Amino acid sequence: MKEATENKDIKYAVEGFLFPDTYDIDRSYGAKQIMQIMVDNFDHRLNSEMRERAKEGNLSIFELVTMASLVEKEAKFAEDRPIIADVFFKRLENHMMLQSDATIQYALDEHKEEFSIEDTKLDSPYNTYQHEGLTPGPIGNPGLASIEAVLYPATTDYLYFVADSEGHNHYSVTYDEHLKVIEEIYGE
């Protein structure tokens, strides 16, 4: 987690590495002990095959977890995870903004059902509408499914996605197609 401790823009150095799981915790344990258990579980769950796959994809563990945290927050359904990972990788390769609403939510530090154009202008290093590339660090603690989606993304032509009110994502190749999908879903 050297990358997390050296970057001044990171909100919480341990974020992303507290593995979401069911734990049997003794009531006498303090926060540091509990966090250590969760970090140790993360370290155990991220096996050598996954670490090697990340290395083959030129991803540091920190980048893997950061990307997986974005996928975790954007995908409500399992089938969407590898597609969203693919879209994010393509956008990064093409020097496009990720434009993830989940990063706005994280930057705002409050829950909002819908975001305004003004929200996308928020001055934050976590705002992927304003800053190219990954966020300075993870925006949550991803589970194995999101980590695996980043390690084994789908192969698509998609560059855009938008979720409907039930959380189902709709994908597009071009921006014009994306706008049409938004119109169909939200009438905007």
Side-chain angles (χ1 to χ4, degrees), residues 32-142:
K32 284 186 180 181
Q33 287 174 296
I34 294 169
M35 286 194 319
Q36 188 61 56
I37 290 168
M38 295 175 81
V39 168
D40 290 346
N41 191 20
F42 169 86
D43 197 45
H44 172 74
R45 296 292 191 110
L46 192 69
N47 63 39
S48 58
E49 180 185 316
M50 295 168 134
R51 292 170 194 271
E52 186 58 35
R53 178 73 179 188
K55 190 183 290 184
E56 289 168 6
N58 293 316
L59 288 173
S60 71
I61 298 304
F62 190 77
E63 291 167 329
L64 167 65
V65 173
T66 300
M67 176 72 91
S69 74
L70 298 177
V71 170
E72 182 81 20
K73 296 292 186 180
E74 288 285 0
K76 183 174 180 179
F77 300 100
E79 62 271 13
D80 287 320
R81 287 187 182 103
I83 301 170
I84 290 171
D86 181 62
V87 168
F88 283 158
F89 278 125
K90 277 191 180 60
R91 292 179 74 85
L92 290 172
E93 288 168 16
N94 289 305
H95 302 283
M96 297 171 69
M97 301 284 187
L98 293 181
Q99 297 184 328
S100 166
D101 287 355
T103 65
I104 298 290
Q105 189 78 55
Y106 187 82
L108 284 171
D109 256 345
E110 65 177 91
H111 180 73
K112 287 182 88 172
E113 289 296 323
E114 293 183 25
F115 299 102
S116 67
I117 295 296
E118 200 57 38
D119 290 332
T120 66
K121 296 176 183 174
L122 178 71
D123 182 25
S124 168
Y126 283 88
N127 183 348
T128 57
Y129 282 84
Q130 298 296 318
H131 298 280
E132 187 179 318
L134 287 175
T135 53
I139 62 167
N141 296 296

Side-chain angles (χ1 to χ4, degrees), residues 1-18 35 39 62 65-66 106 126 136-138 140-141:
M1 288 195 310
K2 181 180 171 188
E3 291 170 88
T5 57
E6 291 179 353
N7 187 332
K8 65 177 177 47
D9 289 329
I10 291 178
K11 277 188 171 186
Y12 309 106
V14 76
E15 183 120 50
F17 298 91
L18 300 173
M35 286 194 319
V39 168
F62 190 77
V65 173
T66 300
Y106 187 82
Y126 283 88
N141 296 296

